[in-house]
Amino acid sequence: MTRLTAFRFRPRLLDALHGYTRSRFAADLGAGITVGIVALPLAMAFAIASGLKPEAGLWTAIIAGLLISLLGGSNVQIGGPAGAFIVIVYGIVERYGLANLLIATTCAGVLLFVLGVLRLGTLVRYVPVSIVIGFTNGIAVLIALSQARDLLGLQVARMPADFFAQIKVLGASMGSFNPSAFGLGMACLLGLFVWPRLWADKSPLHLAMDLPGMRRASRVSARLPGPVVALVTLTLFAWFFSLPVETIGSRFGAIPRGLPAFALPEFSWETVKLLLTPTLTIAMLGAIESLLCARVADQLTSLPRHDPNQELMAQGVANFITPFFGGMPATGTIARTVTNVRSGGTTPVAGILHACTVAVIVLAAAPLALYVPLAVLAGILLFVAWNMGEWHEFARLGHYSTHYRLLLLGTFFLTVVFDLTVAVQVGLVLACALFIRRMSSLFTVEPMEGDGPLIHYRLYGALFFGAVAKIDPVVQAVEKGPDRPVVVLDALQLVLLDTSGLDALRQLHKAVLLRGGTLRLENLQQQPRGVIELAGFDRELAAS
């Protein structure tokens, strides 16, 4: 068990500031501003899709993003509201209400911090990749479905959280289809796919602008984030032509320009017990998302690898504090982290500056968000959902084992039809069951030639609770064999023995004693020998 003396809290920022230079600050400043601009529309879109007001996402990006960069264990990870939380948060708000969402998020923050203190960050790596892909693709489908109302401009007062109920409501509301909203949403989605390709090295537009007077304009345009370009241009288009579409202002009213008020949720032990499942869901998803994101960031840079336990503690602090200001759950975000790396960010200072950038924009230009069409935000979220899903894995399923296919597809469908908690729980149980089945198939008992009363077998693999039935044929051979048998088990290839396997050997020993014979274990490896000696089975064999 981890000792309290092993507790270590050292944010990566402290190490990154050693030898920090003006040139590194300039790079971090450019990356921070770029990521802050990218985070602005995403934060509003994630909050609205989660059933919250847009300011909940904005202040989560600011407060949680600041705390995660200040206290985290990664040089480049950017924290804030994430698309993966949309379905979870929406379901919690629908079932338990906004106040209880804040309590569940705070409790999840405590749990995440404890996981980091106990140095359990590496446990996330034990979640099979098939389960991660399954629930990620499932969440992407649910995000896309949740945006159908705003993309189509349907007049639906409140979308249900259940998958089939959503389809039913959408089908019943198709009579209110709004062509203007649909056009804006599709233009946004198409633009997000096309924008980065316009500035590719061999694109016609890039080649046309490769002139002395146009090169600077080309470089500036290439650095502009697609979501920001889509948000600004399509908002201006909708405002100029007075398109009849729903906007942030028409649904939510004005976004407050001042700092959010600090308010403590009303905690009670009964409420905490009621919110156990939402708390575990938020903590589990936050841990998985943040550490997977940090691992992706490690692969993109040559910077020191992240500290998973420090990262979990930072996520815990952020999720504990942010709800006091009306925020939503936060975690590491892959899209903004990758943007940070590609923009030149090398230290947590870039993440701090990203939070400051969002804060400045919110405080200075919050009223302008009133005119943003919800259909444009829906287009942005559809693009996020598309990039979130690893759709090529479905096409490659034929190259993998039946176990892999079963885990991936089972987790995917359970996520879509039920919820993430059920999907991951069932997926992990199924993964354990399949692993036990696979390991048990690797254990074999091979009979060897023996003379007279000698019964000789060779053991291969791991004799554990899932494989003990394979000792039964040896017991039957003893019971049907000659009197006073000498049973020899060659354990040179036996690599693991657990208590259930030891009990199976004891049952074999009893059968041998009933026939007046002896049992010998030869060539024991270190682990099986340790189990046998600790249980005193070696003395039992010697005394018989």
Side-chain angles (χ1 to χ4, degrees), residues 437-448 456-464 466-474 489-496 505:
R437 183 174 179 271
R438 175 68 60 83
M439 290 299 296
S440 65
S441 67
L442 297 178
F443 176 76
T444 57
V445 180
E446 180 181 314
M448 309 294 291
H456 197 182
Y457 288 89
R458 184 171 292 160
L459 307 181
Y460 294 88
L463 179 54
F464 70 114
V468 293
K470 294 189 177 181
I471 296 295
D472 292 345
V474 182
L489 300 181
D490 185 346
L492 181 63
Q493 304 298 326
L494 181 67
V495 295
L496 182 139
L505 294 179

Side-chain angles (χ1 to χ4, degrees), residues 69-94:
S69 293
L70 274 174
L71 306 176
S74 170
N75 280 63
V76 295
Q77 172 137 285
I78 302 296
F85 273 121
I86 290 175
V87 179
I88 302 302
V89 172
Y90 191 90
I92 294 174
V93 172
E94 282 289 298

Side-chain angles (χ1 to χ4, degrees), residues 80-162:
F85 273 121
I86 290 175
V87 179
I88 302 302
V89 172
Y90 191 90
I92 294 174
V93 172
E94 282 289 298
R95 185 174 302 176
Y96 299 98
L98 176 59
N100 286 330
L101 168 68
L102 301 180
I103 295 174
T105 304
T106 300
C107 294
V110 175
L111 182 57
L112 284 168
F113 189 85
V114 170
L115 290 175
V117 169
L118 297 179
R119 310 190 67 77
L120 299 177
T122 54
L123 289 181
V124 174
R125 298 184 180 181
Y126 294 118
V127 179
V129 65
S130 53
I131 293 179
V132 174
I133 294 173
F135 79 67
T136 301
N137 286 8
I139 289 174
V141 169
L142 291 175
I143 291 174
L145 181 63
S146 71
Q147 296 310 297
R149 172 181 65 166
D150 292 332
L151 178 69
L152 301 175
L154 304 181
Q155 298 299 314
V156 179
R158 187 77 177 175
M159 284 288 289
D162 179 69

Side-chain angles (χ1 to χ4, degrees), residues 34-334:
T34 301
V35 178
I37 294 173
V38 171
L40 188 74
L42 293 178
M44 291 191 295
F46 292 154
I48 292 171
S50 301
L52 306 175
K53 292 184 177 181
E55 56 262 33
L58 292 172
W59 286 107
T60 300
I62 296 168
I63 298 172
L66 177 65
L67 291 172
I68 290 171
S69 293
L70 274 174
L71 306 176
S74 170
N75 280 63
V76 295
Q77 172 137 285
I78 302 296
F85 273 121
I86 290 175
V87 179
I88 302 302
V89 172
Y90 191 90
I92 294 174
V93 172
E94 282 289 298
R95 185 174 302 176
Y96 299 98
L98 176 59
N100 286 330
L101 168 68
L102 301 180
I103 295 174
T105 304
T106 300
C107 294
V110 175
L111 182 57
L112 284 168
F113 189 85
V114 170
L115 290 175
V117 169
L118 297 179
R119 310 190 67 77
L120 299 177
T122 54
L123 289 181
V124 174
R125 298 184 180 181
Y126 294 118
V127 179
V129 65
S130 53
I131 293 179
V132 174
I133 294 173
F135 79 67
T136 301
N137 286 8
I139 289 174
V141 169
L142 291 175
I143 291 174
L145 181 63
S146 71
Q147 296 310 297
R149 172 181 65 166
D150 292 332
L151 178 69
L152 301 175
L154 304 181
Q155 298 299 314
V156 179
R158 187 77 177 175
M159 284 288 289
D162 179 69
F163 173 74
F164 295 108
Q166 285 184 352
I167 294 178
K168 182 178 180 181
V169 169
L170 291 172
S173 305
M174 288 303 294
S176 59
F177 171 71
N178 186 331
S180 298
F182 181 71
L184 283 175
M186 293 307 297
C188 176
L189 183 61
L190 180 62
L192 291 174
F193 278 107
V194 171
W195 180 256
R197 292 166 175 80
L198 290 177
W199 309 106
D201 290 340
K202 296 182 180 180
S203 69
L205 182 59
H206 184 272
L207 294 175
M209 297 188 70
D210 193 18
L211 300 172
M214 303 294 290
R215 288 172 184 167
R216 180 174 177 81
S218 175
R219 288 196 299 269
V220 173
S221 298
R223 292 184 64 121
L224 288 175
V228 176
V229 174
L231 187 74
V232 173
T233 56
L234 293 175
T235 298
L236 289 174
F237 182 85
W239 171 79
F240 184 81
F241 289 100
S242 300
L243 296 182
V245 294
E246 195 171 14
T247 64
I248 289 179
S250 63
R251 181 180 293 182
F252 300 102
I255 296 178
R257 295 181 63 176
L259 297 174
F262 179 87
L264 287 173
E266 295 184 5
F267 283 93
S268 70
W269 180 239
E270 292 299 323
T271 303
V272 171
K273 289 193 294 184
L274 175 68
L275 298 174
L276 178 61
T277 299
T279 296
L280 293 176
T281 302
I282 293 172
M284 176 181 62
L285 183 57
I288 292 174
E289 282 288 309
S290 64
L291 296 185
L292 286 178
C293 177
R295 291 179 65 184
V296 170
D298 288 342
Q299 297 169 3
L300 297 176
T301 70
S302 58
L303 297 168
R305 297 179 66 83
H306 74 282
D307 179 349
N309 300 305
Q310 182 64 43
E311 191 63 32
L312 284 183
M313 287 188 281
Q315 301 286 340
V317 172
N319 281 285
F320 179 79
I321 292 178
T322 304
F324 297 152
F325 298 93
M328 59 189 291
T331 185
T333 57
I334 292 180

Side-chain angles (χ1 to χ4, degrees), residues 459-522:
L459 307 181
Y460 294 88
L463 179 54
F464 70 114
F465 65 90
V468 293
K470 294 189 177 181
I471 296 295
D472 292 345
V474 182
V475 176
Q476 294 171 3
V478 170
E479 293 174 344
K480 297 179 181 178
D483 291 335
R484 300 184 182 279
V486 177
V487 180
V488 178
L489 300 181
D490 185 346
L492 181 63
Q493 304 298 326
L494 181 67
V495 295
L496 182 139
L497 179 71
D498 71 353
T499 53
S500 296
L502 178 62
D503 182 69
L505 294 179
R506 276 199 164 110
Q507 297 302 319
L508 173 60
H509 187 214
K510 289 180 181 179
V512 172
L513 292 177
L514 288 176
R515 301 288 293 178
T518 58
L519 173 65
R520 296 205 310 264
L521 296 177
E522 298 180 346

